[in-house]
């Protein structure tokens, strides 16, 4: 049996534990969180992530508990659409529900160690850093220069009862701030992001909600109604952190997956998806190849793609959260929206 220590029991860590061959690997998950979270927002699962869920045997369960994201729009704060968008088979599922299903997919042979990991396990086996943006594993193998960096942006989000109206779904792009609204399983998923010096570590959710209500007071009635319904019990607030660029994810007997490898801003909605794909890709390679060859193949498959997505997400955030250039951005989006709408009408007419 080959020893594998997975540091972190989040999306990437649970997915890896669920895909590794229990007949070949002696797996331990190290997690400082005593229980799975009960509050969290909806994650959009792109097709490649859905394939990873299928490999884990839980895609059907995720679909039954999630909601398809079919359409939306980029909007002005008033709600006026700038650019209509159609979902490309996106599946929305709440983070707590996804974690619960991933946890159920972990074989009983996998051991669970509760508590904070300050020192990496011995070098005899493989250590997997699935411990998020502030990864201890990354710092141990890549040094302090690999420490995560805080962005100027705060993320406040949650799920409230009731389904949003179709004409309200989408992202509202204002001057240096975003608000998103989409259907969730049994409710409405919302999120807000804006520049704030409220804090970098622990942020009081109630205080963050008050700041958010003030910042979005000039937005549409739909946005204000959502924020009026949100409570500290069904909301989260945190500083957005990102990881520095990395040229490789494996070193010696350690390897990084998920946010530990490529924590990115949430503007493309790809963080959780890429964490799942990382874990399933790495697990399948370890099942099929000797460790050294598996780690090398994992790097070839995942480093370039995820680093490019990290950069693209940051660029998208710069556009979405533009301040001085916001009027020009909106004019360009409106023009693009007209062209897209015209192309759709011509396509329908030609059928």
């Amino acid at each position: 049996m080959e020893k594998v220590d997975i540091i972190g029991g989040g999306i990437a860590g649970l997915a890896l534990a669920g895909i590794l061959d229990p007949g070949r690997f002696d797996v331990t998950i190290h997690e400082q969180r005593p229980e799975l979270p009960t509050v969290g927002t909806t994650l959009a699962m792109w097709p490649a992530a859905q394939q990873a869920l299928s490999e884990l045997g839980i895609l059907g369960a995720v679909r039954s508990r999630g909601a398809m994201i079919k359409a939306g729009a980029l909007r002005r704060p008033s709600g006026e659409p700038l650019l209509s968008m159609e979902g490309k088979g996106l599946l929305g599922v709440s983070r707590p529900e996804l974690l619960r299903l991933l946890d159920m997919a972990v074989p009983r042979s996998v051991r669970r160690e509760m508590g904070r990991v300050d020192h990496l396990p011995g070098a005899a086996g493989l250590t997997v850093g699935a411990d998020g943006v502030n990864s201890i594993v990354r710092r141990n193998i890549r040094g302090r220069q690999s420490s995560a960096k805080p962005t100027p942006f705060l993320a406040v989000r949650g799920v409230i009862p009731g389904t949003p109206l179709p004409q309200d779904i989408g992202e509202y792009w204002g001057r240096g701030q975003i608000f998103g609204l989409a259907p969730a399983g049994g409710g409405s998923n919302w999120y807000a992001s804006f520049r704030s010096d409220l804090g970098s570590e622990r942020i009081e959710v109630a205080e963050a909600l008050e700041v958010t209500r003030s910042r979005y007071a000039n937005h549409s009635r739909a946005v204000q109604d959502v924020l009026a319904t949100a409570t500290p019990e069904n909301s989260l607030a945190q500083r957005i952190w990102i990881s520095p660029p990395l040229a490789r994810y494996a070193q010696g007997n350690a390897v990084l997956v998920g946010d530990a490898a490529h924590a990115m801003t949430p503007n493309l909605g790809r963080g959780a998806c890429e964490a799942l794909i990382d874990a399933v890709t790495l697990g399948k390679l370890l099942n099929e190849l000797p460790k050294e060859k598996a780690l090398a193949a994992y790097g070839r498959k995942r480093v370039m793609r995820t680093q490019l997505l990290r950069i693209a997400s940051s660029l998208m955030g710069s556009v979405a959260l533009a301040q001085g250039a916001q009027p020009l951005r909106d004019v360009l989006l409106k023009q693009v929206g007209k062209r897209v709408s015209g192309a759709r009408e011509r396509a329908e007419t030609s059928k």
Side-chain angles (χ1 to χ4, degrees):
M1 298 287 283
E2 300 178 48
K3 190 173 186 300
V4 177
D5 287 284
I6 302 173
I7 314 302
I11 290 173
L14 292 174
L16 179 59
I19 203 75
L20 285 172
D21 181 358
R24 176 178 169 184
F25 296 100
D26 177 15
V27 180
T28 301
I29 298 176
H30 303 261
E31 172 57 52
Q32 63 177 341
R33 180 180 55 204
E35 56 188 21
L36 295 174
T38 57
V39 178
T41 53
T42 295
L43 303 170
M45 297 286 102
W46 291 70
Q50 293 181 46
Q51 178 59 38
L53 293 171
S54 179
E55 298 273 2
L56 288 160
I58 61 172
L59 178 57
V62 172
R63 283 177 173 165
S64 70
R65 292 161 175 79
M68 296 306 298
I69 303 174
K70 297 180 180 179
L74 292 181
R75 304 178 183 276
R76 297 186 193 273
S78 64
E80 175 195 351
L82 295 167
L83 175 63
S84 295
M85 300 177 294
E86 293 184 4
K88 300 292 185 180
L90 300 186
L91 171 63
V93 61
S94 77
R95 180 182 290 272
E97 190 65 37
L98 178 61
L99 286 169
R100 188 180 71 83
L101 293 172
L102 288 169
D103 189 67
M104 292 173 62
V106 174
R108 292 186 178 182
S109 59
V110 172
R111 287 191 295 274
R112 313 289 186 116
E113 295 286 343
M114 295 295 124
R116 179 180 173 85
V117 174
D118 293 314
H119 303 285
L120 300 191
L126 178 65
T127 298
V128 181
D131 48 344
V133 64
N134 291 305
S135 171
I136 292 172
V137 179
R138 186 181 67 236
R139 192 172 67 226
N140 271 266
I141 67 174
R142 303 308 303 270
R144 290 190 176 277
Q145 70 273 14
S146 70
S147 296
K149 310 291 184 185
T151 72
F153 304 110
L154 195 68
V156 188
R157 45 199 171 181
V159 178
I160 61 170
T163 304
L165 297 174
Q167 63 266 29
D168 297 328
I169 294 172
E171 280 195 346
Y172 299 71
W173 287 12
R175 184 181 175 88
Q177 55 194 33
I178 301 172
F179 188 92
L181 180 60
S188 297
N189 177 68
W190 68 271
Y191 52 91
S193 183
F194 51 89
R195 289 173 174 83
S196 173
D197 58 1
L198 196 58
S200 59
E201 297 294 340
R202 294 185 179 276
I203 298 172
E204 291 294 330
V205 179
E207 183 181 5
L209 278 174
E210 287 305 311
V211 171
T212 306
R213 293 184 183 111
S214 175
R215 290 290 299 266
Y216 292 85
N218 67 336
H219 276 54
S220 73
R221 173 52 54 189
V223 172
Q224 294 186 54
D225 287 347
V226 168
L227 291 175
T229 306
T231 67
E233 291 72 32
N234 61 23
S235 306
L236 299 170
Q238 59 191 156
R239 174 71 48 194
I240 296 175
W241 290 68
I242 57 174
S243 61
L246 296 177
R248 55 180 177 168
Y249 295 161
Q251 183 171 313
N253 285 328
V255 62
L256 304 174
V257 293
D259 281 353
H262 46 72
M264 60 189 76
T265 66
N267 302 95
L268 291 180
R270 299 298 290 263
C273 292
E274 299 308 316
L276 275 170
I277 299 167
D278 281 354
V280 171
T281 300
L282 177 61
K284 290 174 65 178
L285 288 167
L286 288 169
N287 288 344
E288 298 165 1
L289 299 172
K291 181 173 64 178
E292 291 76 13
K293 290 185 177 180
L295 295 181
Y298 170 69
R300 290 192 298 270
K301 287 176 176 288
R302 299 301 298 156
V303 173
M304 181 65 73
R305 175 176 176 79
T306 51
Q307 288 297 311
L308 287 175
L309 281 170
R310 188 185 62 80
I311 294 169
S313 189
S314 180
L315 291 173
M316 177 63 80
S318 298
V319 174
L321 292 159
Q323 292 185 297
Q326 175 251 334
L328 175 61
R329 177 201 67 192
D330 290 356
V331 169
L332 293 174
L333 286 173
K334 191 73 172 178
Q335 291 300 317
V336 172
K338 288 180 179 178
R339 292 187 179 186
V340 171
S341 178
R344 285 176 184 159
E345 290 177 3
R346 289 191 295 272
E348 289 296 324
T349 302
S350 64
K351 287 182 180 180

